[in-house]
Amino acid sequence: MSAQIKRFYGIAHGWIEPNWRVFTSTRQPAIWILAVVIGFGVAVAAILFRLAIGAFQWLWLADASEQVTTAAARVPWWLILLAPAAGGLLVGLVLQYFHPGRRTGGVADVIEARVSGTESLGLRAGLRSAVLTALSLGSGASAGREGPIVHLGATLAAAITRGLGLSETSRRTLLGCGVASAVSASFNAPIAGVLFALEVVLGHYATTAFVPIVIASVCGTILSRLWIGDVAAFEIPIYQITSYLEFPAFFILGIVCALVAVIFQFSLITTDYFARRLTVPFFMRPVVGGFLVGAIALMFPQVLGVGYEATDQALKQQLPLFLMLALIVAKTAATSITLASRFGGGIFSPALYIGAMTGGAFGIIAASAFPETASSQGLYAILGMGAVAAAVLGAPISTTMIVFELTGGYGLTIALLLTVSVAVGLTLAIHGRSHFHWQLEMRGLFVNVGPHKYLVQKVRVAEFLLPPNLEEDAEFLEEGYRFDGDTKVLFLKDTLESALRTFDETGQSRIPVVSSGKNPSFAGWALEVKALAYFNEAMIDANVEEHR
């Protein structure tokens, strides 16, 4: 009996001990605890952010709720025209004189931090960005609040984990925890928060990342529900698919939503292009943009702010056809102007808004053509909302789940999956990227092509530098030594990509490396073999992180 117990113990120990050693060596217990701290902390920040938007909004609408259109009907027309411009003046002054980069943060910055390191998410800059965004949305700027909340959550997660000696993999996981808590607290959507963090920010579904991200999302949802209540963001009637004969219509709606999503993204790109070429002082850009948004709002007050009231009306079948068609154009223009003018805000809510209007209008047209088989326009509004948002964000899985949790419309599963997949596939065929990836590509960061591309841009020569040999390299170490003009050199801050290109162009396997500055000095050697080995090791680490 004793021998059998020892044998069983040996088998169990040999089975469990290696797994437990990996679990503890990667500091998973500490990460789980930090996930709880981040989950609750970010949820508090998300609630305060929403209250800040309401506080700024109350200053001119005397109403802090999301019923912006209703409140706007009670104020004079000149206030609607001038309030966004007044808010823009404050935003512009702070951006020009006090805020680095002269723009507020969003989801693209979080993805960049995942790739380049969380050090780029400074706490002060992140908090200042959140206040500027709250001021922007509270003064009527036409944009979303979810992207800025995601940035705020990631900034707080980076601040909490800074200085704890965690590995890069752990810091990226905890960055995802901040994102998940932010989304779940903002939407009351815990599953969507998890999926958004994994799909959009981390770009993988590794189990070691999944567990702490779920913990953070649950914590964020608990606190959000204690404050707001356990209710869906949009309380709508229960819609049912009338007939399976409608599925060709759902397919066509996916095509229409793809075209709307592409036009929306091109509008954002084009407006930003022209805004960059304005000759007015920088701080006046939000003023001009705010005035234009106010002018649009005189005719269509539904474009002001986040726009949840109008989206809710579309989902509840309370808007006529021509108004929804007009609001697609008006919201596209207002959001493009808002973001190009450097107001703070995101694109998630506008994409939901435009999608709901597109689907609702399509539903009315479908019902007039096939009155016996067409479902209600509210059902089509839900499908359109998910399809346009998924196509713009490049996040079909998490967006589908967000729509389910926002509306409670789980009975529309197969219809929504079809419409979303068609819209996302056709958008990629035309535009080739999500809005976030377009923003990153404008900064020279090509994340969507895989780790092999961004790793060669992230790694610097200094990381695989071979230090100089005091004897063999004594000549180069002499004070004042300069390489002649025919000698190809690399700098410490050069990327691995430029180093590999230099190796290929020169045919050399060893290239001298010098420091930057007015008087560059010899710093060591860059070896082609060592550079390739460093790159291969980084690729292996990335592969392990994505699959463990």
Side-chain angles (χ1 to χ4, degrees):
M1 189 68 177
S2 175
Q4 291 178 339
I5 293 175
K6 288 183 178 180
R7 183 183 178 188
F8 176 78
Y9 174 79
I11 294 174
H13 183 268
W15 183 277
I16 297 172
E17 194 274 336
N19 300 320
W20 184 258
R21 186 171 62 249
V22 172
F23 180 75
T24 55
S25 66
T26 55
R27 302 181 66 179
Q28 289 299 305
I31 292 173
W32 289 15
I33 294 172
L34 286 170
V36 174
V37 175
I38 290 171
F40 283 121
V42 171
V44 171
I47 293 170
L48 293 175
F49 181 77
R50 293 179 63 169
L51 293 175
I53 295 173
F56 285 121
Q57 181 182 300
W58 183 88
L59 295 176
W60 67 287
L61 287 179
D63 190 321
S65 72
E66 293 179 347
Q67 307 301 309
V68 178
T69 305
T70 302
R74 299 193 295 263
V75 301
W77 65 270
W78 56 266
L79 195 55
I80 296 175
L81 179 65
L82 298 179
L89 178 60
L90 295 175
V91 171
L93 290 172
V94 174
L95 284 177
Q96 177 155 340
Y97 296 109
F98 303 103
H99 194 66
R102 293 186 172 186
R103 60 177 176 80
T104 58
V107 176
D109 298 281
V110 179
I111 300 174
E112 182 177 4
R114 186 263 296 178
V115 173
S116 304
T118 58
E119 295 80 8
S120 61
L121 296 176
L123 180 59
R124 290 185 180 179
L127 294 176
R128 193 161 47 240
S129 176
V131 173
L132 285 172
T133 302
L135 172 59
S136 299
L137 299 177
S139 61
S142 182
R145 72 182 180 212
E146 288 73 28
I149 291 180
V150 166
H151 181 266
L152 177 60
T155 298
L156 294 176
I160 291 171
T161 58
R162 194 167 290 133
L164 297 181
L166 298 172
S167 66
E168 286 193 18
T169 298
S170 299
R171 289 199 298 269
R172 282 191 286 266
T173 298
L174 292 170
L175 191 75
C177 290
V179 171
S181 178
V183 173
S184 62
S186 180
F187 283 122
N188 188 21
I191 302 175
V194 171
L195 294 178
F196 186 86
L198 295 171
E199 181 181 22
V200 177
V201 176
L202 294 187
H204 63 76
Y205 294 87
T207 306
T208 52
F210 180 80
V211 175
I213 285 174
V214 168
I215 292 172
S217 184
V218 169
C219 292
T221 304
I222 290 172
L223 201 56
S224 174
R225 289 180 178 179
L226 288 173
W227 180 264
I228 302 170
D230 186 9
V231 293
F234 301 109
E235 296 184 40
I236 59 175
I238 298 176
Y239 296 124
Q240 298 291 338
I241 299 172
T242 301
S243 169
Y244 287 115
L245 296 175
E246 281 189 279
F247 275 81
F250 299 152
F251 188 92
I252 296 172
L253 176 59
I255 297 175
V256 173
C257 288
L259 296 177
V260 170
V262 170
I263 292 171
F264 179 46
Q265 292 186 77
F266 282 157
S267 175
L268 293 169
I269 295 169
T270 304
T271 310
D272 183 74
Y273 174 84
F274 285 109
R276 290 173 183 267
R277 282 151 183 79
L278 287 177
T279 56
V280 299
F282 180 83
F283 76 89
M284 286 297 295
R285 278 175 59 176
V287 178
V288 175
F291 186 81
L292 293 175
V293 170
I296 296 173
L298 289 177
M299 185 172 293
F300 301 105
Q302 294 90 345
V303 304
L304 291 170
V306 177
Y308 273 0
E309 181 181 4
T311 304
D312 189 59
Q313 289 174 336
L315 296 175
K316 292 179 178 176
Q317 310 181 117
Q318 296 174 353
L319 299 178
L321 173 62
F322 291 106
L323 179 58
M324 285 192 287
L325 292 174
L327 288 178
I328 294 172
V329 178
K331 188 66 173 179
T332 298
T335 301
S336 300
I337 293 169
T338 291
L339 298 181
S341 302
R342 297 299 178 95
F343 278 104
I347 60 165
F348 203 162
S349 295
L352 294 174
Y353 181 115
I354 293 170
M357 300 302 163
T358 301
F362 186 93
I364 293 177
I365 296 172
S368 64
F370 305 98
E372 295 181 358
T373 57
S375 300
S376 63
Q377 72 181 72
L379 181 146
Y380 281 92
I382 294 175
L383 301 183
M385 183 170 70
V388 172
V392 172
L393 273 61
I397 300 173
S398 53
T399 303
T400 299
M401 185 53 62
I402 284 174
V403 170
F404 287 153
E405 293 187 290
L406 280 177
T407 63
Y410 294 94
L412 312 179
T413 303
I414 53 176
L416 183 60
L417 287 174
L418 175 63
T419 308
V420 165
S421 62
V422 171
V424 171
L426 190 56
T427 300
L428 289 177
I430 299 173
H431 189 42
R433 56 190 57 78
S434 71
H435 180 70
F436 302 139
H437 287 156
W438 168 77
Q439 289 179 303
L440 292 171
E441 288 176 14
M442 291 291 289
R443 307 172 196 176
L445 198 60
F446 297 85
V447 178
N448 58 327
V449 296
H452 66 282
K453 183 64 177 179
Y454 65 74
L455 280 174
V456 294
Q457 297 172 329
K458 174 185 176 183
V459 175
R460 304 293 172 180
V461 170
E463 298 179 50
F464 57 86
L465 177 74
L466 178 67
N469 185 292
L470 296 179
E471 295 182 1
E472 297 178 3
D473 301 323
E475 175 188 356
F476 306 130
L477 293 172
E478 292 179 1
E479 186 175 353
Y481 181 86
R482 297 288 182 274
F483 289 95
D484 59 57
D486 295 330
T487 303
K488 196 71 174 179
V489 299
L490 291 169
F491 294 95
L492 290 170
K493 292 185 178 180
D494 283 344
T495 63
L496 174 60
E497 183 177 35
S498 63
L500 293 175
R501 188 183 300 113
T502 305
F503 285 127
D504 182 64
E505 291 173 353
T506 61
Q508 300 176 12
S509 60
R510 189 177 82 158
I511 296 176
V513 180
V514 298
S515 60
S516 303
K518 294 182 179 180
N519 300 307
S521 59
F522 179 68
W525 297 95
L527 304 182
E528 185 176 21
V529 172
K530 195 169 183 179
L532 291 173
Y534 193 95
F535 175 68
N536 290 335
E537 185 178 350
M539 285 292 296
I540 292 171
D541 290 342
N543 188 63
V544 170
E545 178 182 344
E546 293 176 6
H547 294 88
R548 175 174 290 172

